[in-house]
Amino acid sequence: MNKRVTVNTLMEMKQRANKITMLTAYDYITSSLLDELGIDVILVGDSLGMVILGHETTLPVTMEEMLHHTKAVARAAKRSMVVGDMPFMSYQISVEEALYNAGRFLKEAGVQAIKLEGGEEICPVVFKMVKVGIPVMGHLGVTPQSVHQMGGYAVQGREEQAAKKMIADAKVLEEAGAFAIVLEKIPSELAKKITQTIRVPTIGIGAGPHCDGQVLVTQDLLGMFEKFIPQFVKQYAKLSNDIRSAISSYIKEVKAGEFPGEEHSF
Ligand code: KIV
């Protein structure tokens, strides 16, 4: 069996300009496939709330829902690093509560790291987690848990001041001990600047080609999530259509008495 991807592996990959691949999973089957295919990092994103649970935003997702799905993902992943996404209000109230909840991801769900959204304001939390041995992935740019504060999901960091602030946030996250930072929906040139400025890897989603790695929501990549398709998504398949066709055939054959056939019967 290949050795588990660790924070050191990701750091070495950045140094060797070896691109990091990350995808989301929320269940055992998807996680098994991603692990088998050699994805470096599997993120159990709080996008769970929208993609799997049907919420309008990621805000309603609870710790219990995240842990439930993360356990299934972690059971399947033997080589990939599994990162648990901390849901809204599980790390913002106090450092103590944040530590307790992050600890649950490691102790109960079996992840190797957690992710949380935000810059300078969450650095005390990041610092403390790293101090007690919990690897932390940061997340800047569009931070979906702040959708109401941002007034939507528009590209972040277009203005000079906002870009400067994001570079500063990336630096302080690195100083606090974050081992990687997700950059979501920001201009490519800004992502390039951040990637060149910090030593830890950047992982982009809608942040152009210069990041040290890329992440997408797996259901977006597979063409399964049709509610909206962000511009930064490339659909490598149209699985929704395949599912429609397969289920329609099943319905037709059952109604016509064609399934089950001799070969499926005892
Ligand atoms: O929740 C999620 O899936 C994420 C990724 C899109 C980075 O945060």
Side-chain angles (χ1 to χ4, degrees):
M1 195 181 69
N2 287 330
K3 268 174 50 192
R4 172 87 70 186
V5 173
T6 68
V7 294
N8 300 332
T9 322
L10 300 183
M11 192 61 124
E12 281 164 23
M13 288 176 80
K14 172 162 182 145
Q15 284 157 3
R16 293 187 185 153
N18 184 358
K19 294 274 187 188
I20 297 162
T21 57
M22 176 158 113
L23 283 176
T24 61
Y26 318 102
D27 63 77
Y28 182 85
I29 296 178
T30 310
S31 177
S32 308
L33 287 169
L34 299 186
D35 191 62
E36 173 198 316
L37 293 168
I39 283 289
D40 298 309
V41 185
I42 300 178
L43 171 69
V44 190
D46 64 351
S47 47
L48 164 81
M50 297 168 82
V51 179
I52 303 297
L53 304 178
H55 294 300
E56 286 300 317
T57 69
T58 59
L59 302 193
V61 178
T62 65
M63 269 301 293
E64 301 314 317
E65 287 165 344
M66 285 305 302
L67 290 174
H68 177 76
H69 287 266
T70 306
K71 285 177 192 174
V73 170
R75 259 175 231 134
K78 308 292 178 229
R79 176 195 166 269
S80 311
M81 170 191 280
V82 179
V83 178
D85 209 2
M86 296 198 64
F88 183 54
M89 280 300 138
S90 68
Y91 57 95
Q92 291 92 339
I93 293 165
S94 70
V95 174
E96 287 71 23
E97 211 169 309
L99 268 187
Y100 174 75
N101 285 323
R104 290 191 72 194
F105 271 99
L106 272 78
K107 282 168 73 103
E108 296 175 38
V111 302
Q112 286 77 48
I114 60 92
K115 176 170 89 58
L116 36 76
E117 298 181 4
E120 185 206 338
E121 69 286 359
I122 50 123
C123 281
V125 166
V126 176
F127 182 77
K128 191 73 196 201
M129 285 179 182
V130 175
K131 267 262 178 269
V132 300
I134 301 173
V136 178
M137 180 179 277
H139 185 154
L140 296 171
V142 166
T143 44
Q145 291 177 10
S146 308
V147 57
H148 300 307
Q149 185 70 39
M150 293 183 301
Y153 298 103
V155 175
Q156 298 293 298
R158 277 200 200 278
E159 300 78 25
E160 200 185 329
Q161 269 313 102
K164 277 189 180 154
K165 166 88 172 82
M166 210 181 296
I167 295 169
D169 278 340
K171 283 187 191 164
V172 288
L173 276 174
E174 177 179 33
E175 276 162 26
F179 72 90
I181 302 177
V182 168
L183 299 176
E184 179 162 351
K185 219 174 166 190
I186 67 171
S188 301
E189 280 308 306
L190 175 57
K192 185 178 180 182
K193 176 97 179 108
I194 294 173
T195 302
Q196 289 170 345
T197 303
I198 59 176
R199 283 174 306 110
V200 298
T202 58
I203 302 185
I205 173 162
H210 306 295
C211 294
D212 299 303
Q214 295 293 327
V215 56
L216 282 177
V217 167
T218 299
Q219 281 76 1
D220 284 342
L221 168 162
L222 294 177
M224 291 177 77
F225 190 66
E226 298 177 316
K227 218 165 162 185
F228 59 86
I229 302 162
Q231 192 200 313
F232 56 75
V233 167
K234 178 168 176 182
Q235 290 187 328
Y236 287 81
K238 300 261 185 215
L239 282 202
S240 289
N241 288 343
D242 291 343
I243 292 170
R244 280 194 189 96
S245 149
I247 305 293
S248 301
S249 299
Y250 170 76
I251 294 172
K252 218 170 94 214
E253 290 192 9
V254 170
K255 298 268 186 209
E258 290 166 9
F259 176 83
E262 278 295 317
E263 67 276 34
H264 310 113
S265 306
F266 304 96

